[in-house]
Amino acid sequence: MRERAIGIFDSGLGGLTVLREIERLLPEESLIYFGDTARVPYGNKSAETIERYALENASFLLEKNVKALVVACNTASAYGVEAMRRTFQIPIIEVINPGAEAVVAATRTKRVAVLGTKATIASEAYPKAIHAIDPSVSVLSIACPLLTPLIEEGMIEHAATRLMVKEYLAGMKGEGCDAVLLGCTHYPLIRNLIEEELGAHVAVVDSAIAASRALGEVLDALDLRNGGEKRVDFFVSDDPTRFQRAGEGFLQRSITEVNRA
Ligand code: DGL
């Protein structure tokens, strides 16, 4: 059991930011990553569609005999986890609750902002999770729909991305937020821009890091840490070559093989 891989899925490339953190924190674990590149983005789809995609992605990874499942995608975590937990008897780690815990721990003013896709923000999953931990924290939710396509296009340092960050974060001015949660797989890649825009007095909290820690805790609690050989496999639902090229940029390391699911 311990030697089985951990399954990770995302709507596409973005979840590689979660894989990167898992590799850092749990370097001994075998991983199987599935990116649903044929159907990305999830962030502007309906609740029913996102839930169906999440169940299908989970089934694909369960067929690969994984020992635990990480829902790297914030949008799929917001809409799909309940149905997944009803359907599959396997530890499922999502990003919303670990992210909520991390942002609550980071705030002193008890005023936080959450950035995410339209669907994640509409679900109110983050404010609900934050209020379940501490009802006195006020949450400013900001949908940032244009950031994902800009980042997917590799425009990380581009003036257009800087401009959109400025635009989306303008609503935080004067709100007294001292912590902002990156509630989307892609945003850690523009963390520098967000930090520069907000200044040093606002803590930037990454749900990818928080989720990786949560995974480590689940593996320890269930005595599931791998002690044997490890490998990392990648699967996508669309063109493997494009994923491989862009994914190497995301991960800042080479990806030797990407398989078509
Ligand atoms: N992976 C999605 C998330 O974290 C962002 C990309 C998409 O819209 O599919 O919410």
Side-chain angles (χ1 to χ4, degrees), residues 10-11 40-43 73-75 117 120 148 184-186:
D10 180 49
S11 54
V40 68
Y42 287 8
C73 179
N74 290 254
T75 310
T117 63
T120 298
T148 298
C184 173
T185 46
H186 289 61

Side-chain angles (χ1 to χ4, degrees), residues 63-98:
E63 278 165 24
K64 303 255 171 273
N65 215 15
V66 294
K67 64 182 175 186
L69 204 54
V70 177
V71 186
C73 179
N74 290 254
T75 310
S77 291
Y79 290 96
V81 168
E82 262 175 48
M84 286 167 60
R85 291 205 168 121
R86 275 199 307 272
T87 315
F88 306 111
Q89 309 306 315
I90 186 172
I92 296 174
I93 294 90
E94 44 79 49
V95 288
I96 306 280
N97 284 293

Side-chain angles (χ1 to χ4, degrees), residues 26 56 98 111:
L26 305 164
E56 288 169 5
R111 298 176 80 84

Side-chain angles (χ1 to χ4, degrees), residues 50-246:
I50 298 163
E51 184 182 290
R52 178 163 56 83
Y53 288 176
L55 288 170
E56 288 169 5
N57 299 344
S59 294
F60 172 78
L61 287 166
L62 260 83
E63 278 165 24
K64 303 255 171 273
N65 215 15
V66 294
K67 64 182 175 186
L69 204 54
V70 177
V71 186
C73 179
N74 290 254
T75 310
S77 291
Y79 290 96
V81 168
E82 262 175 48
M84 286 167 60
R85 291 205 168 121
R86 275 199 307 272
T87 315
F88 306 111
Q89 309 306 315
I90 186 172
I92 296 174
I93 294 90
E94 44 79 49
V95 288
I96 306 280
N97 284 293
E101 273 170 31
V103 81
V104 170
T107 183
R108 298 283 163 268
T109 60
K110 302 230 178 211
R111 298 176 80 84
V112 306
V114 175
L115 314 181
T117 63
K118 269 189 185 165
T120 298
I121 297 303
S123 75
E124 296 189 0
Y126 272 115
K128 282 181 197 150
I130 290 168
H131 290 145
I133 301 163
D134 184 346
S136 71
V137 174
S138 81
V139 184
L140 178 67
S141 297
I142 307 174
C144 309
L146 291 178
L147 294 184
T148 298
L150 286 164
I151 297 164
E152 287 267 327
E153 288 302 322
M155 294 167 74
I156 306 285
E157 298 287 342
H158 198 280
T161 311
R162 204 172 278 276
L163 188 70
M164 286 320 300
V165 166
K166 205 179 205 24
E167 176 77 18
Y168 287 135
L169 298 183
M172 279 180 71
K173 295 269 153 68
E175 290 290 328
C177 299
D178 66 346
V180 61
L181 179 64
L182 307 183
C184 173
T185 46
H186 289 61
Y187 305 166
L189 292 157
I190 54 163
R191 186 183 177 127
N192 289 350
L193 295 190
I194 294 169
E195 281 174 343
E196 278 168 31
E197 183 57 29
L198 293 174
H201 62 287
V202 181
V204 176
V205 178
D206 183 345
S207 58
I209 297 176
S212 308
R213 289 204 191 106
L215 171 65
E217 286 164 16
V218 169
L219 294 183
D220 284 340
L222 299 173
D223 193 18
L224 279 179
R225 290 253 192 168
N226 183 23
E229 301 256 302
K230 73 159 274 187
R231 53 179 291 151
V232 181
D233 291 296
F234 296 92
F235 291 85
V236 289
S237 51
D238 201 47
D239 180 21
T241 320
R242 187 179 178 275
F243 178 90
Q244 185 164 4
R245 217 178 302 121

